[in-house]
Amino acid sequence: MISTYEFSDEEKKSLFDVLNSVNANPYREYASFKREVNILILESKVPAKFLEVCAKIKDERRLLGINAQLLRNLPIDEVIPEFDQLDPVNDKYLKKTTFIGETLLELFSQLTGSPLLAYRTRNNGDFFHDVYADKKYTNTQTQKTDGELYFHNDRTAHPVRADFLSLLGMRCNEHNLIYTGYLDGKNILSGLSEESQYWLRQPHYITPYDEVSRDSNANQIDSDKHIILENQNTFRYYDTRTTFAHDAPQSAIKALLELKTAMTKAKKERVAINTGDLFSFANQDSLHNRDIVKIMDKDAAEKRWLLKTYSFRNEDAMNNHSQYFDPILPGFVAEI
């Protein structure tokens, strides 16, 4: 189930004015930036509608098990630059001089009680990432491709994985039919036998690291053996990547095949993220994909831009991973 919230143009303008008061650069001075956003909350400057929606989302996640929310017609930066697709990350540092989108995502994180995390080996340790095509990664299964993505969790191979992802539409051509698919873990679980659930909870599986991770750290080739199913309906899986270990028993292999069948049959939802839309959803208690139905403007599809954050479910979830953190900046994951 995906909850949807719509903001009026007047509410959008009111929120923009508040976000525009933050001055710190989130890429150069994240700690100061985070404090400035927190002050907006402490000084009661955040518009009532945004406070109300974030409080509802927090309750939906905590009390109702609704782990996907779509917020439409939110403010973003007035100038949306195009980046060099041979080096989009570093070009962003040069061209992006306002940070309305980043401030919105940080404010959303703080109000929903879901702390952001960053990885030392991903985009120079930034807390804000780009789903933006990099020519180097054409035809790969990474957020830097302009092609389709199979159902997965982000960072499946890594020991620290976000509980939630948030995607903010910065430049999205509505004539191109590009969707983010959402597959709730509860729907997958309902198609699995008790026996398959048992074997999926055993460490008989591996996931190769993605191309971007391998480029940033040559030691990242394959994950350690891991389970696929944990908690009630938490999945660690990347379709076409996650496979069984060489010494896995036949029952574990059979369970993996049943998982693929259950995914095919499970109810799926999909969202067209338009410019100014924020889609926030569970990373581990669901799977997601990118589904390209029709491209009317190829150039616009290549320059499609979603601003993205990783976050923990709450402070307790973050503290459970404290052994991976930089001691100075909590949430900064110092992975190998």
Side-chain angles (χ1 to χ4, degrees):
M1 177 179 177
I2 299 173
S3 299
T4 301
Y5 298 94
E6 185 89 25
F7 289 78
S8 68
D9 289 341
E10 182 179 350
E11 291 164 340
K12 174 182 175 180
K13 174 63 167 60
S14 177
L15 183 55
F16 176 91
D17 291 341
V18 171
L19 301 176
N20 199 34
S21 68
V22 173
N23 296 310
N25 185 320
Y27 301 100
R28 296 177 183 170
E29 44 189 353
Y30 175 71
S32 297
F33 170 80
K34 184 173 184 176
R35 283 194 296 271
E36 280 196 51
V37 174
N38 186 242
I39 288 171
L40 297 179
I41 301 172
L42 296 176
E43 294 184 351
S44 302
K45 293 182 178 180
V46 182
K49 174 66 176 289
F50 196 70
L51 288 172
E52 176 188 338
V53 168
C54 289
K56 287 182 178 178
I57 290 172
K58 191 173 182 180
D59 286 343
E60 285 180 352
R61 294 175 174 178
R62 182 171 58 92
L63 303 175
L64 303 177
I66 301 174
N67 285 322
Q69 287 83 23
L70 176 63
L71 288 66
R72 293 203 181 276
N73 197 38
L74 290 172
I76 58 172
D77 302 75
E78 293 179 320
V79 177
I80 306 297
E82 292 185 1
F83 307 134
D84 180 356
Q85 291 188 277
L86 297 178
D87 189 11
V89 173
N90 286 309
D91 201 37
K92 179 178 70 171
Y93 300 148
L94 297 175
K95 292 179 178 176
K96 195 169 192 301
T97 58
T98 61
F99 307 105
I100 299 299
E102 291 87 347
T103 307
L104 174 69
L105 288 167
E106 177 66 41
L107 182 61
F108 179 79
S109 162
Q110 293 190 23
L111 288 174
T112 56
S114 51
L116 298 186
L117 71 148
Y119 297 92
R120 185 183 299 279
T121 57
R122 180 60 60 104
N123 295 344
N124 305 309
D126 292 339
F127 282 79
F128 303 92
H129 305 267
D130 306 304
V131 180
Y132 194 99
D134 184 326
K135 296 293 187 182
K136 181 179 180 180
Y137 296 105
T138 298
N139 296 323
T140 64
Q141 285 292 299
T142 76
Q143 68 183 26
K144 297 180 184 295
T145 183
D146 59 356
E148 292 194 325
L149 296 173
Y150 304 124
F151 274 105
H152 66 285
N153 318 108
D154 267 32
R155 316 256 316 157
T156 317
H158 293 257
V160 180
R161 298 171 305 284
D163 293 312
F164 282 94
L165 305 179
S166 293
L167 300 171
L168 176 63
M170 299 293 286
R171 182 171 50 244
C172 306
N173 187 315
E174 296 182 26
H175 296 293
N176 290 328
L177 304 183
I178 303 175
Y179 297 95
T180 298
Y182 177 76
L183 180 50
D184 194 292
K186 294 186 287 294
N187 293 335
I188 303 173
L189 190 70
S190 66
L192 293 172
S193 66
E194 292 288 340
E195 181 179 3
S196 288
Q197 290 183 40
Y198 168 81
W199 285 106
L200 291 172
R201 295 181 185 276
Q202 310 306 313
H204 294 305
Y205 308 95
I206 59 171
T207 302
Y209 282 87
D210 63 90
E211 291 84 352
V212 177
S213 296
R214 292 201 301 268
D215 285 348
S216 63
N217 187 337
N219 293 321
Q220 294 179 329
I221 300 173
D222 289 326
S223 71
D224 294 333
K225 291 181 185 179
H226 64 80
I227 63 177
I228 288 179
L229 177 60
E230 61 182 320
N231 302 323
Q232 183 174 355
N233 50 253
T234 297
F235 287 87
R236 183 179 179 181
Y237 180 77
Y238 200 123
D239 202 18
T240 75
R241 282 187 181 273
T242 302
T243 188
F244 51 87
H246 73 278
D247 57 351
Q250 285 297 314
S251 295
I253 298 172
K254 180 181 177 183
L256 182 60
L257 294 175
E258 187 174 311
L259 170 63
K260 291 175 178 289
T261 300
M263 289 172 52
T264 300
K265 294 180 177 179
K267 176 186 176 183
K268 303 171 183 68
E269 299 179 81
R270 62 183 185 180
V271 170
I273 301 174
N274 298 320
T275 301
D277 290 348
L278 171 59
F279 185 34
S280 184
F281 56 92
N283 179 47
Q284 298 196 64
D285 288 347
S286 72
L287 301 175
H288 64 283
N289 76 342
R290 183 191 298 162
D291 190 9
I292 299 177
V293 176
K294 189 172 185 180
I295 298 298
M296 300 297 292
D297 186 331
K298 187 175 184 297
D299 183 67
E302 290 180 350
K303 292 182 173 63
R304 179 177 184 258
W305 177 20
L306 307 179
L307 193 62
K308 171 181 176 179
T309 56
Y310 301 110
S311 66
F312 291 108
R313 181 175 296 277
N314 49 40
E315 292 285 346
D316 289 341
M318 182 173 72
N319 293 336
N320 289 339
H321 294 89
S322 60
Q323 72 270 29
Y324 294 101
F325 289 165
D326 183 293
I328 297 175
L329 186 58
F332 186 72
V333 180
E335 289 190 316
I336 60 171

